[in-house]
Amino acid sequence: MRFPVPRPRSLAGQLFAMQAVLIAVLVAGYALFSYVSDRSQAEDAAGRQALAVARSVADSPSVREAIRTDDPSSSLQPYALHVQQDTGVDFVTIMDTKGIRWTHPNPDEIGQRFIGHIEDALKGGSFTETYTGTLGPSVRAVTPIWDGGRIVGLVSAGIKVEEISKRVQDQLTALIGVAGGALALGAVGTYVINARLRRHTHGMNAAELSRMHDYHQAALHAVREGLLMLDGQFRVALINDGGRELLGVSEEAVGTSVADLRLPPSLTGALLASEPRVDEVQLTADRVLVVNTSPVSGGERRGTVVTLRDVTELQSLMGELDSERGFTQALRSQAHEAANRLHTVVSLIELGRAEEAVEFATAELELAQALTDQVVAAVSEPVLAALLLGKTAQANERGVELVVSEDSRLDDGLLPSSLPARDLVTILGNLIDNAVDAAQGSVRARVTVTAYTQASDLVLRVSDTGAGVDPAHAEVVFERGFSTKPAGPGGRGLGLALARQAVSRHEGTLTVTGAAGGGAEFEVRLPLRGSVPREGVISEGVVSEGVVSGGSVSGGDV
């Protein structure tokens, strides 16, 4: 025979039982605390009341005049009983400096010594204490009577502890009634809340909810894209592993305002924006992110869902693809020129001018080789040399003369492994592209590139003959989206931002100033860690559409 196994009580039922017990304990505890607190407050209030009465009596001129008479009790006793009745205290005792009573609620005690402490009052101070006297335990105050700068007597006023207890008992009765009402109201409220919770949790118990939470967490962190959820005050409510990695934040980011995450200003602005963002490219210190935001609304703004996609590698590949396209266009144009020159050689041979054909072809070969030799002599680092040769061809196609300055000297093997070739291509390639864009169309359009080592830094300098950069935009020009050129299909203002990102990743600097001959001059300084740099010496080489300055060869291809 199988016995039915009772299903675990639902989470709502467990919470109801727990909350009912908790409310009962809290109400009982609060009642006890209030009783103790009220008793303490009642004793403090009684002490303040007694002290105020005692000081009022001590400051009365009639009291000082009575003390000067031969029989102070005759006038002070009726006065003390009158004050006692009006102020609600249980006794007002006026005594001399030796503690002999002049007044007392019980006339038989007049002339007897005061039971209590008077030492501090004789020194000129006022104090309160709880002490047992002739009337029983009481909270009393003692203060001196001054006359012409000397103490001529003392006043003690007090309230019996029994009277204080009666006051507290009245308050306790009311408190018990309030506590009972709070317990009943709490029980009803707990039942209503748990009924609502039961509907929301579909009657599931804690184990089932825990299992669902585990599934939720596993699915959340299995997503490779970054997921970020912000609440209505733009604080991080949830972030998965991908989001923490892409934004470079820790697990403590939950509950932190977006403005305090120390993200780039443009990315912070995108996350704080009220309107949705769709496939917006943003830069962090070392990543290129595509950001999408979608507000969560239900009559009012309740938060924002943000997805982050890392396209750093994709952006790098797109840059390389753009360079390859430029190289392809340059090669296509140069192939056209080479075909024209080859036809010239063939025609000279057909005309029987073989020697002139050989001389023409030799000059072309010498120019191409001299062009390569001059660039490699100045910058023998293979990646940078190849980049300069390719960019030279691109610049020539756009009518811009690209010059490797005579101050350049960068030997092969000088750059450490901590400075990857891809980052150098990103930095120098974007600076040259930007300079060619700026110089195109200007008079004697020229871009000058300088590369050398100085102390422990690699220095790359690119200047142009364009319109230059407004000093007010010296920092803004490196922000994503900033550009003075018309936007193309893919947008503008990303090249310099990518260059700044790569420079910052290697703890270098990228600055822009005005060039000596007009235009703008961008300078990059990258620390060379793990290598022993050598000071560069002069190697003159000017590369432009088949012309090498400092040599005598002209008219060839690259």
Side-chain angles (χ1 to χ4, degrees), residues 34-43 161-175:
S34 298
Y35 173 75
V36 175
S37 176
D38 288 348
R39 183 176 183 85
S40 176
Q41 292 176 3
E43 291 180 354
V161 173
E162 179 183 356
E163 182 63 27
I164 296 174
S165 299
K166 289 181 180 179
R167 298 179 185 179
V168 175
Q169 287 174 359
D170 294 339
Q171 295 177 359
L172 180 61
T173 302
L175 177 62

Side-chain angles (χ1 to χ4, degrees), residues 362-387:
T362 302
E364 291 297 316
L365 291 174
E366 289 178 351
L367 176 60
Q369 186 61 45
L371 185 61
T372 302
D373 291 345
Q374 291 288 5
V375 172
V376 173
V379 181
S380 57
E381 175 64 33
V383 174
L384 294 184
L387 176 67

Side-chain angles (χ1 to χ4, degrees), residues 3-217:
F3 294 96
V5 178
R7 185 175 182 271
R9 180 179 292 181
S10 69
L11 180 62
Q14 296 176 27
L15 287 178
F16 176 74
M18 250 169 56
Q19 289 175 354
V21 173
L22 181 61
I23 288 177
V25 172
L26 286 177
V27 170
Y30 176 72
L32 179 61
F33 170 78
S34 298
Y35 173 75
V36 175
S37 176
D38 288 348
R39 183 176 183 85
S40 176
Q41 292 176 3
E43 291 180 354
D44 291 342
R48 290 193 297 270
Q49 181 183 356
L51 183 59
V53 172
R55 283 177 173 171
S56 298
V57 172
D59 291 339
S60 175
S62 61
V63 173
R64 289 192 291 271
E65 291 177 3
I67 292 175
R68 298 190 193 104
T69 64
D70 295 334
D71 185 14
S73 294
S74 61
S75 56
L76 291 178
Q77 175 68 2
Y79 174 76
L81 293 176
H82 182 70
V83 171
Q84 175 182 322
Q85 182 179 1
D86 290 345
T87 59
V89 296
D90 291 321
F91 67 87
V92 175
T93 300
I94 305 174
M95 69 198 85
D96 62 15
T97 55
K98 295 179 181 179
I100 303 301
R101 300 187 187 99
W102 285 325
T103 68
H104 193 274
N106 183 1
D108 294 337
E109 297 292 335
I110 297 175
Q112 301 298 320
R113 184 174 296 278
F114 177 76
I115 299 175
H117 301 96
I118 61 173
E119 294 81 4
D120 291 343
L122 291 174
K123 296 177 182 178
S126 300
F127 66 94
T128 60
E129 64 176 350
T130 301
Y131 200 83
T132 303
T134 58
L135 300 177
S138 63
V139 176
R140 59 180 62 182
V142 182
T143 188
I145 302 173
W146 294 87
D147 187 8
R150 65 189 182 90
I151 298 175
V152 296
L154 304 174
V155 178
S156 176
I159 301 174
K160 291 186 292 186
V161 173
E162 179 183 356
E163 182 63 27
I164 296 174
S165 299
K166 289 181 180 179
R167 298 179 185 179
V168 175
Q169 287 174 359
D170 294 339
Q171 295 177 359
L172 180 61
T173 302
L175 177 62
I176 292 175
V178 172
L183 181 59
L185 182 62
V188 173
T190 300
Y191 177 80
V192 172
I193 291 173
N194 281 276
R196 182 179 180 87
L197 178 62
R198 190 180 299 109
R199 289 195 301 271
H200 286 310
T201 59
H202 302 286
M204 289 188 292
N205 57 42
E208 292 170 332
L209 289 174
S210 176
R211 187 162 52 251
M212 288 189 63
H213 176 267
D214 292 340
Y215 292 154
H216 170 268
Q217 290 295 314

Side-chain angles (χ1 to χ4, degrees), residues 343-413:
H343 290 160
T344 301
V345 171
V346 172
S347 298
L348 287 173
I349 294 175
E350 290 177 347
L351 294 173
R353 299 178 178 271
E355 293 182 359
E356 294 180 14
V358 170
E359 182 180 353
F360 181 81
T362 302
E364 291 297 316
L365 291 174
E366 289 178 351
L367 176 60
Q369 186 61 45
L371 185 61
T372 302
D373 291 345
Q374 291 288 5
V375 172
V376 173
V379 181
S380 57
E381 175 64 33
V383 174
L384 294 184
L387 176 67
L388 289 173
L389 287 171
K391 291 298 182 183
T392 300
Q394 288 181 278
N396 290 339
E397 290 302 314
R398 299 175 61 180
V400 178
E401 180 184 18
L402 194 149
V403 177
V404 178
S405 75
E406 59 184 17
D407 295 331
S408 297
R409 183 70 178 183
L410 199 60
D411 296 333
D412 187 12

Side-chain angles (χ1 to χ4, degrees), residues 228-307:
L228 184 67
M229 294 187 181
L230 309 178
D231 61 17
Q233 284 71 45
F234 296 101
R235 294 188 299 260
V236 178
L238 183 147
I239 184 171
N240 69 346
D241 297 338
R244 285 197 296 269
E245 180 182 356
L246 295 180
L247 296 180
V249 298
S250 62
E251 294 183 0
E252 288 80 15
V254 175
T256 304
S257 173
V258 170
D260 297 331
L261 293 180
R262 298 182 179 178
L263 301 176
S266 60
L267 178 55
T268 300
L271 298 181
L272 293 176
S274 57
E275 67 278 0
R277 302 294 178 95
V278 179
D279 292 339
E280 185 173 288
V281 178
Q282 294 288 343
L283 301 181
T284 64
D286 54 359
R287 296 181 186 274
V288 181
L289 304 178
V290 172
V291 179
N292 288 274
T293 66
S294 177
V296 178
S297 301
E300 60 181 10
R301 183 182 182 85
R302 296 185 177 180
T304 306
V305 177
V306 182
T307 59

